Amino acid sequence: MELNEGNWLKVAEDFKILWQYPNCIGTLDGKHCVIQKLPNSGSAFFNYKSAHIIVLLALCDARYCFTIVDIGAPGRHCDGAIFAASRFGRALNNRQLHIPPPRTLPNSEKVSPFVIVADAAFPLKENIMRPYPDRRLTPSKRIYNYRHSRARRVSENAFGILSHRWRVFRRPMHTKQSTVCTSVKAAVCLHNWLMKGNHNNRNRYCPQGMADEEDADGMIRPGAWREDAQYGAMQNMPLSARNQRAVNAVTVRNTFEEYFAGEGAVPWQWNVLPNM
C-alpha cells in the first residue's frame, strides 16, 4: 500500500465500519518464525524459548491484509527494540508515514489522532494503543479493552490464516537467512493477492469460518486456523516487561475509553461485559 493520507483514511473507514474502532489505521503484531541455526550466527537468533528465530513484524488493515511488514530481525531482541529499530518504527516516530492529522470521533466532539492498535508486547505511544493492564479495571476500562481486542483480532487472524495456508510455516525452516526472508515475503505477497482477488479466489483461500466470527451478542466463534496453530513454527512474541508511557499516549487512550463507554458504544458490548 502506498503510504499517503488518502489510503490511511480508507483503512480507517474500514475499521470504523467493520470493527467499530474509528481513527484506526491498522493493527500491529509480530510473530517469531522458527528456523534452523544459521551458520556463524552465534546467539543472535536464539530466543527465550531456546529456539532460533527471525521476526515477522506486520501492520494489518481491517480486511486481514498486510500493509507494512518488517522481516528478518534476530529473535533474541525484545519486541520494543525490534519495533524501534525497524524502518516502520523509525518512520512512525519521525512522523514520516503521512498519517492524517487528528480528527473528531464520529457523533462526538472528542478529537483523537489516528492510531495503531497493538497488544501488550508493544509500547503505549500517542499513535499506538495497547490495552489497559488487567488489574482491578473499571467497567469503562473493561469496555475499552473489549473494543481494543475486537480490532486487534484482525492481525491475529491475518497471521493465523497466513500460517494455516502456507505450509512453510508448519515447521522450522531449514535454509539460509536470505531464503527464509524471501519465502516469508513471498507468502505475505501471495496472501494479500488472494485476499484482495476476485470473490471466488478469496472464498477458496479464506472460506467462511476460517477467521474468527461474532454472533449477534458479540460472542466469538474461533476460526478454523486456530485448530492447528499450536503445531506451527510461527509463535507469539513475548509480552513487554517495560512500558514507558508518554502523557499524550495515556490521554489518547483515555479519550477512546470515554468514547467507547459513551457516544461510541455498541449495543452488544454490555452483553459481553459480564463475561470479561
Side-chain angles (χ1 to χ4, degrees), residues 101-162:
R103 177 170 292 195
T104 303
L105 297 172
N107 304 314
S108 173
E109 296 182 355
K110 294 181 175 67
V111 177
S112 166
F114 285 84
V115 298
I116 291 165
V117 172
D119 65 13
F122 294 91
L124 177 66
K125 293 179 175 290
E126 187 175 357
N127 291 110
I128 300 178
M129 296 290 99
R130 59 181 271 168
Y132 286 101
D134 190 17
R135 296 190 298 270
R136 298 182 181 179
L137 296 182
T138 63
S140 63
K141 285 181 169 57
R142 290 163 63 197
I143 286 295
Y144 173 81
N145 279 2
Y146 164 66
R147 299 286 293 274
H148 182 106
S149 175
R150 284 187 78 243
R152 193 192 62 78
R153 281 204 315 272
V154 171
S155 55
E156 186 178 348
N157 277 272
F159 276 108
I161 295 165
L162 178 74

Side-chain angles (χ1 to χ4, degrees), residues 28-33 54-59 66-74 77 79 81-91 122 159 177 181 184-185 188 237:
L28 178 63
D29 204 352
K31 294 293 182 181
H32 283 168
C33 300
I54 66 166
V55 175
L56 167 58
L57 186 70
L59 186 71
F66 299 99
T67 54
I68 299 177
V69 296
D70 185 88
I71 304 167
H77 294 310
D79 49 277
I82 292 168
F83 176 73
S86 69
R87 289 180 60 190
F88 171 43
R90 295 197 304 271
F122 294 91
F159 276 108
Q177 182 185 3
C181 292
V184 174
K185 187 184 299 183
V188 167
M237 295 177 69

Side-chain angles (χ1 to χ4, degrees), residues 15-256:
F15 270 103
K16 182 182 74 173
I17 294 172
L18 298 176
W19 303 105
Q20 292 75 52
Y21 199 122
N23 288 22
C24 177
I25 57 171
T27 59
L28 178 63
D29 204 352
K31 294 293 182 181
H32 283 168
C33 300
V34 182
I35 60 174
Q36 69 173 354
K37 186 180 185 302
L38 299 171
N40 304 316
S41 63
S43 62
F45 294 86
F46 196 68
N47 81 334
Y48 73 110
K49 288 187 175 180
S50 301
H52 293 272
I53 298 293
I54 66 166
V55 175
L56 167 58
L57 186 70
L59 186 71
C60 300
D61 68 15
R63 299 179 184 271
Y64 307 128
C65 291
F66 299 99
T67 54
I68 299 177
V69 296
D70 185 88
I71 304 167
R76 70 178 176 87
H77 294 310
C78 69
D79 49 277
I82 292 168
F83 176 73
S86 69
R87 289 180 60 190
F88 171 43
R90 295 197 304 271
L92 180 67
N93 288 334
N94 294 330
R95 303 182 184 276
Q96 296 173 338
L97 294 179
H98 309 291
I99 296 172
R103 177 170 292 195
T104 303
L105 297 172
N107 304 314
S108 173
E109 296 182 355
K110 294 181 175 67
V111 177
S112 166
F114 285 84
V115 298
I116 291 165
V117 172
D119 65 13
F122 294 91
L124 177 66
K125 293 179 175 290
E126 187 175 357
N127 291 110
I128 300 178
M129 296 290 99
R130 59 181 271 168
Y132 286 101
D134 190 17
R135 296 190 298 270
R136 298 182 181 179
L137 296 182
T138 63
S140 63
K141 285 181 169 57
R142 290 163 63 197
I143 286 295
Y144 173 81
N145 279 2
Y146 164 66
R147 299 286 293 274
H148 182 106
S149 175
R150 284 187 78 243
R152 193 192 62 78
R153 281 204 315 272
V154 171
S155 55
E156 186 178 348
N157 277 272
F159 276 108
I161 295 165
L162 178 74
S163 61
H164 179 86
R165 282 308 200 183
W166 301 99
R167 293 185 177 275
V168 69
F169 298 112
R170 296 291 183 92
R171 62 189 66 186
M173 300 183 211
H174 293 268
T175 185
K176 59 185 179 181
Q177 182 185 3
S178 60
T179 304
V180 170
C181 292
T182 300
S183 298
V184 174
K185 187 184 299 183
V188 167
C189 291
L190 288 169
H191 169 92
N192 280 359
W193 181 73
L194 289 165
M195 292 296 288
K196 294 178 179 180
N198 65 53
H199 184 72
N200 289 335
N201 283 345
R202 188 186 188 283
N203 282 349
R204 282 196 292 266
Y205 179 70
C206 183
Q208 185 174 0
M210 174 66 72
D212 294 347
E213 296 177 348
E214 288 180 325
D215 63 21
D217 295 322
M219 304 308 292
I220 304 301
R221 292 193 293 268
W225 67 265
R226 295 184 182 275
E227 295 176 4
D228 64 356
Q230 59 182 317
Y231 304 113
M234 189 178 284
Q235 305 171 349
N236 292 330
M237 295 177 69
L239 300 184
S240 176
R242 299 177 299 167
N243 183 18
Q244 298 177 346
R245 301 178 299 175
V247 173
N248 286 349
V250 174
T251 301
V252 171
R253 186 170 62 182
N254 290 345
T255 298
F256 277 108

